[in-house]
């Protein structure tokens, strides 16, 4: 018994395999289904498309208005440099540096 399979077990499963092969050959292929475009479908498509376009247009108008407000704020009464705007945005508040060697090296004297 090579492989540990009895010859009786192999012959018992053989009719199942033959029946499976017969069933595969006996299947019929059906003809492709024809899809028809109806007037209702076209109207529904057009209404959805117009709705999406109007939403997109409103979103773009809102973005343009927001960008205009941001530009007005940036060019408003407070004229800040680019560096100051970045520092404000990230929350960095630079401390003024004291002049001289002592400020850089503590109390060391040379």
């Amino acid at each position: 018994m090579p492989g540990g399979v009895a010859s009786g077990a192999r012959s018992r499963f053989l009719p199942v395999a033959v029946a499976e092969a017969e069933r595969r050959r006996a299947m019929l292929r059906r003809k492709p289904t024809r899809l028809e475009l109806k007037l209702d479908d076209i109207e529904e498509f057009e209404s959805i498309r117009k709705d999406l376009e109007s939403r997109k247009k409103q979103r773009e108008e809102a973005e343009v208005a927001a960008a205009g407000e941001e530009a007005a704020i940036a060019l408003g009464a407070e004229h800040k440099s680019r560096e100051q705007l970045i520092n404000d945005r990230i929350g960095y508040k630079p401390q003024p540096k004291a002049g001289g060697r002592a400020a850089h090296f503590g109390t060391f004297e040379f």
Side-chain angles (χ1 to χ4, degrees):
M1 277 192 229
V5 177
S7 61
R10 193 176 310 137
S11 65
R12 187 171 22 148
F13 294 111
L14 186 61
V16 174
V18 172
E20 180 83 20
E22 294 269 336
R23 194 171 9 160
R24 285 186 188 161
R25 276 188 248 136
M27 289 182 65
L28 298 176
R29 185 175 181 96
R30 70 177 186 155
K31 294 180 182 177
T33 305
R34 183 180 175 105
L35 299 176
E36 295 181 14
L37 189 61
K38 298 177 183 175
L39 184 60
D40 293 340
D41 297 332
I42 295 170
E43 290 172 351
E44 182 182 1
F45 172 77
E46 290 294 328
S47 67
I48 292 172
R49 190 184 76 187
K50 287 179 184 178
D51 184 41
L52 290 175
E53 286 176 356
S54 66
R55 287 183 188 175
K56 183 179 177 183
K57 192 173 185 179
Q58 288 175 352
R59 191 178 326 120
E60 289 174 354
E61 290 172 356
E63 289 175 359
V64 168
E69 290 174 3
E70 289 176 5
I73 291 171
L75 297 175
E78 298 179 18
H79 295 289
K80 294 184 177 181
S81 70
R82 182 173 184 265
E83 184 178 341
Q84 288 172 333
L85 290 172
I86 292 171
N87 289 343
D88 290 344
R89 187 174 61 227
I90 64 174
Y92 175 68
K93 296 181 172 85
Q95 301 297 323
K97 294 180 183 176
R101 285 187 183 182
H104 294 294
F105 299 105
T107 57
F108 297 125
E109 295 197 22
F110 295 101

